[in-house]
């Protein structure tokens, strides 16, 4: 089937918001032989799909409550081995758990001799393509999702994703010019399924990742990428000469976040946000991390970090910084047992969140002078516990505060009980106890302070304390 290629394929992707528009794109741009004689009205796919429900799948309806739509595209020729499905989820996130439930229902199962077969059609895992819509309005996101492996329970997800209202032009160009064309229907109707399958999978390939075995090598790897990024962003800023995407972003940060940010500190902020954001994403989203060869598809769990990460990344992607090595770092982090690497010095040595404590190791490799200037040196947990416990004891024994650092007494109340005058510049109604850590670093003191305050509060309000026993 001949293809009608739009003049600006990237902008076509920006206009896709519904399954009807997806199908029209596959016909017009990728040559899929779907008969659209009657055309698709109001996203009604009846003419080109079959409807599935929970009974057809053998999956309880309550396990698919977030799945508002599940339809199979009608086969386009009699020998077609692959199944193409359209899924729509409530909410803005791609949901991996219900997708795995669907895979278990759809994927061919090995059966022991003598066992019967199900009447439901089924497919090999590698022959399934899910086209998924999440979100609505400006938050709508589209995903072409393929799978690798042999077991639906631990299948590897690979996705091509974009948000039409927010995707940077570079992101859409790579999708439209390099990746989605690999899903084009073969011109030769007799072309072997294996040849088309091989082309299809090229769209979902990541760079080959190399497993990182220890925390020192991980810090080295991340630090090199961050240093390269910092240099390139600084050079991009100089080239913009005050007028360009990075310059605009730096101005926004100066206005809303850090008033004295300059070109050097801004470049550093961007580089660290991108690289350390990847590590945070890998730890918090181990299943979906790196599923797409498009870097901006990397999920971030923290909403604030995600917003900052996406904005910085979009500007970096728009410039296509050639030496940043970010896609390779994504692939390497995906292949690495990060939990085991961080355990080598994190939770098993220092206590607390190893992602937080690893920042000191990363900064030591990335910029030792910056680490020294920032005072980013780890305080051993026993020392932190002793200092916080000593403060708590002084508040109880010297100032008569029965809940120690958890006590909410005002300055006036404490002054009256202890016979001193509230200083002139202090509001007498403010709490007497407060915690200030001007060099927060990895937050060790803050975390221990909160932990001790909670314990002091519980001890004071326990039945044994109330009864004097």
């Amino acid at each position: 089937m001949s293809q009608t290629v739009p003049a600006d394929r990237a902008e076509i992707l920006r206009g896709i918001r519904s399954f009807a528009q997806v199908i029209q794109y596959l016909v017009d741009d990728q040559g899929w032989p779907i008969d659209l004689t009657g055309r698709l009205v109001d996203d009604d796919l009846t003419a080109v799909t079959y409807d599935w429900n929970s009974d057809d799948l053998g999956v309880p309806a309550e396990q698919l409550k977030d799945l508002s739509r599940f339809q199979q595209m009608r086969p386009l020729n009699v020998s077609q081995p692959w199944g193409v499905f359209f899924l729509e989820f409530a909410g803005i996130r791609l949901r991996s758990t219900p997708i795995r439930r669907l895979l278990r229902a759809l994927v061919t199962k090995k059966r022991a001799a003598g066992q019967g077969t199900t009447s439901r059609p089924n497919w090999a895992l590698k022959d399934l393509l899910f086209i998924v819509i999440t979100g609505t309005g400006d938050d709508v996101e589209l995903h072409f999702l393929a799978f690798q492996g042999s077991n639906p329970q631990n299948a590897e997800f690979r996705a091509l994703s974009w948000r039409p209202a927010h995707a940077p032009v570079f992101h859409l160009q790579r999708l439209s010019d390099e990746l989605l064309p690999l899903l084009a229907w073969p011109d030769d109707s007799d072309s072997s399924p294996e040849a088309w399958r091989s082309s299809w999978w090229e769209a979902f390939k990541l760079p080959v990742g190399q497993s990182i075995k220890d925390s020192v090598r991980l810090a080295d790897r991340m630090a090199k990428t961050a240093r390269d990024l910092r240099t390139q962003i600084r050079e991009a800023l100089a080239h913009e000469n005050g007028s360009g995407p990075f310059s605009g972003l730096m101005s926004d940060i100066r206005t809303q976040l850090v008033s004295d940010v300059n070109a050097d500190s801004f470049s550093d902020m961007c580089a660290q946000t991108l690289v350390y954001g990847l590590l945070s994403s890998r730890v918090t989203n181990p299943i979906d991390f790196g599923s797409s060869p498009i870097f901006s598809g990397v999920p971030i769990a923290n909403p604030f970090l995600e917003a900052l990460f996406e904005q910085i990344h979009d500007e970096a992607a728009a410039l296509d910084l050639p030496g940043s090595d970010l896609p390779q770092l994504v692939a390497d982090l995906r292949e690495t047992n990060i939990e085991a690497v961080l355990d080598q010095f994190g939770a098993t040595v220092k206590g607390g969140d190893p992602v937080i404590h690893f920042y000191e190791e990363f900064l030591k490799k990335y910029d030792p002078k910056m680490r020294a200037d920032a005072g980013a040196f780890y305080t051993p947990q026993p020392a932190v516990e002793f200092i916080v416990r000593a403060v708590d004891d002084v508040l109880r024994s010297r100032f008569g505060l029965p809940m120690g650092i958890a006590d909410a007494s005002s300055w006036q109340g404490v002054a009256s009980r202890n016979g001193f005058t509230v200083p002139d510049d202090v509001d007498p109604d403010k709490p007497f106890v407060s915690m200030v850590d001007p060099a927060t670093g990895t937050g060790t003191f803050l975390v221990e302070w909160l932990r001790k305050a909670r314990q002091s509060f519980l001890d004071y309000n326990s039945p044994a304390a109330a009864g004097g026993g």
Side-chain angles (χ1 to χ4, degrees), residues 261-316:
V261 70
N262 56 31
D264 289 334
S265 58
F266 170 78
S267 302
D268 168 69
M269 180 188 301
C270 290
Q272 289 200 55
T273 298
L274 287 171
V275 171
Y276 217 79
L278 284 181
L279 178 65
S280 298
S281 176
R282 168 61 182 82
V283 172
T284 55
N285 298 273
I287 294 176
D288 298 331
F289 176 82
S291 59
S292 171
I294 296 180
F295 180 56
S296 59
V298 173
I300 304 292
N302 180 280
F304 173 79
L305 179 60
E306 179 174 25
L308 183 62
F309 182 91
E310 286 189 354
Q311 190 172 5
I312 293 173
H313 164 262
D314 288 352
E315 304 301 353

Side-chain angles (χ1 to χ4, degrees), residues 45-335:
L45 308 185
T46 305
V48 296
T49 64
Y50 304 115
D51 282 328
W52 286 64
N53 58 42
S54 59
D55 290 336
D56 297 328
L57 293 162
V59 179
E62 60 270 16
Q63 293 187 2
L64 299 174
K65 60 183 179 181
D66 295 324
L67 183 65
S68 57
R69 189 171 192 168
F70 186 58
Q71 297 171 303
Q72 177 193 352
M73 190 182 76
R74 298 174 185 270
L76 301 183
N77 60 52
V78 294
S79 61
Q80 177 179 315
W82 43 83
V84 179
F85 289 83
F86 300 95
L87 295 77
E88 187 168 0
F89 285 101
I92 62 174
R93 292 294 183 188
L94 191 64
R95 305 291 303 279
S96 61
T97 299
I99 287 175
R100 292 195 186 281
R101 289 176 178 142
L102 294 173
L103 292 178
R104 287 198 294 270
L106 296 175
V107 171
T108 305
K109 300 175 178 62
K110 294 180 179 180
R111 297 178 176 85
Q115 288 185 334
T117 60
T118 177
S119 60
R120 290 195 304 268
N122 46 60
W123 293 264
L125 188 64
K126 64 182 179 179
D127 287 337
L128 288 172
L129 177 67
F130 285 3
I131 300 173
V132 187
I133 285 180
T134 57
T136 58
D138 283 348
D139 288 326
V140 71
E141 186 165 8
L142 291 99
H143 316 263
F144 281 66
L145 197 62
F147 311 94
Q148 197 167 52
S150 57
N151 184 353
Q153 188 63 35
N154 56 21
E156 181 180 327
F157 290 25
R158 297 285 182 92
L160 304 179
S161 304
W162 76 98
R163 292 193 296 169
H166 302 287
V169 173
F170 172 80
H171 180 93
L172 295 177
Q173 285 176 338
R174 187 175 178 208
L175 266 174
S176 62
D177 297 343
E178 299 178 29
L179 300 175
L180 288 176
L182 294 168
L183 301 180
W185 204 267
D187 289 331
D188 182 0
S189 59
D190 296 327
S191 179
S192 71
E194 192 57 42
W196 194 77
R197 185 185 290 128
S198 176
S199 174
W200 170 3
W201 261 102
E202 286 296 318
F204 296 93
K205 280 192 174 180
L206 283 167
V208 177
Q210 296 182 345
S211 178
I212 302 169
K213 300 300 184 182
D214 58 65
S215 60
V216 174
R217 288 183 175 85
L218 176 61
D220 276 334
R221 179 73 178 79
M222 292 173 58
K224 180 183 182 304
T225 301
R227 285 193 301 270
D228 291 345
L229 268 173
R230 180 178 60 184
T231 299
Q232 292 186 36
I233 293 172
R234 183 66 182 87
E235 291 172 351
L237 271 173
H239 181 72
E240 289 178 1
N241 196 26
S243 178
F246 277 117
S247 299
L249 181 56
M250 184 171 69
S251 178
D252 290 342
I253 289 176
R254 182 180 291 138
T255 302
Q256 302 176 30
L257 194 63
V258 184
S259 61
D260 62 347
V261 70
N262 56 31
D264 289 334
S265 58
F266 170 78
S267 302
D268 168 69
M269 180 188 301
C270 290
Q272 289 200 55
T273 298
L274 287 171
V275 171
Y276 217 79
L278 284 181
L279 178 65
S280 298
S281 176
R282 168 61 182 82
V283 172
T284 55
N285 298 273
I287 294 176
D288 298 331
F289 176 82
S291 59
S292 171
I294 296 180
F295 180 56
S296 59
V298 173
I300 304 292
N302 180 280
F304 173 79
L305 179 60
E306 179 174 25
L308 183 62
F309 182 91
E310 286 189 354
Q311 190 172 5
I312 293 173
H313 164 262
D314 288 352
E315 304 301 353
L319 291 176
D320 191 18
L321 301 179
S324 68
D325 203 26
L326 283 169
Q328 187 61 55
L329 180 59
V330 172
D332 291 350
L333 289 176
R334 184 172 179 84
E335 292 298 318

